Amino acid sequence: MKKYLLILLAAIALAACSSTPSMKDMTVRMGDTDSIQITDMRSLMRNGVLTAQVTIQNDSKSNLVAYRFKWLGKNGMTVSDEEAWKPVTIGKGQSTIITGIAPTPDATDFRFELNQYK
């Protein structure tokens, strides 16, 4: 009986771990952004609104990129209009923290979109 209980608990733990998307899964890259590394990604509910924090690092000579957040609801569908691209300047070897606040309390998840600055 204990053996089956341990197997069941292990299966539940694996299922819980596999349902959490990785930073790579939560990032949408467009253009030539391979030299921009996502080093940390966090989120929390603050006053009933989702707040996201992403740390990026530049490993390139180019120092201009653009980003935006895509806010998703419980069903995985977008909960707001598409945000405008926001440019950020980041020197070679430097890192910066980008914070986004969901425009509605309906947002329960997000995607971080990164693009070449044009």
Side-chain angles (χ1 to χ4, degrees):
M1 180 70 175
K2 287 183 182 180
K3 179 180 175 182
Y4 294 113
L5 182 58
L6 288 174
I7 292 171
L8 178 62
L9 290 174
I12 291 170
L14 282 174
C17 291
S18 65
S19 66
T20 304
S22 68
M23 287 192 301
K24 185 176 180 179
D25 293 337
M26 294 182 68
T27 304
V28 178
R29 291 179 178 267
M30 298 172 211
D32 183 16
T33 60
D34 292 338
S35 62
I36 304 297
Q37 306 305 316
I38 311 288
T39 59
D40 191 33
M41 189 176 285
R42 301 168 187 261
S43 64
L44 61 83
M45 294 299 280
R46 181 178 292 154
N47 297 324
V49 178
L50 183 63
T51 300
Q53 179 177 295
V54 179
T55 305
I56 62 174
Q57 180 176 328
N58 183 12
D59 294 333
S60 163
K61 291 179 184 175
S62 175
N63 60 0
L64 289 173
V65 293
Y67 72 91
R68 66 184 177 191
F69 289 91
K70 184 178 199 177
W71 302 102
L72 308 172
K74 288 180 184 176
N75 58 6
M77 307 248 328
T78 58
V79 294
S80 65
D81 292 337
E82 202 170 73
E83 289 185 356
W85 289 103
K86 299 170 188 80
V88 63
T89 303
I90 178 171
K92 180 177 176 147
Q94 299 293 310
S95 63
T96 190
I97 297 172
I98 297 169
T99 302
I101 300 172
T104 173
D106 295 332
T108 59
D109 199 5
F110 70 95
R111 297 296 174 264
F112 180 71
E113 297 181 338
L114 193 60
N115 199 355
Q116 280 179 283
Y117 184 73
K118 298 175 185 173

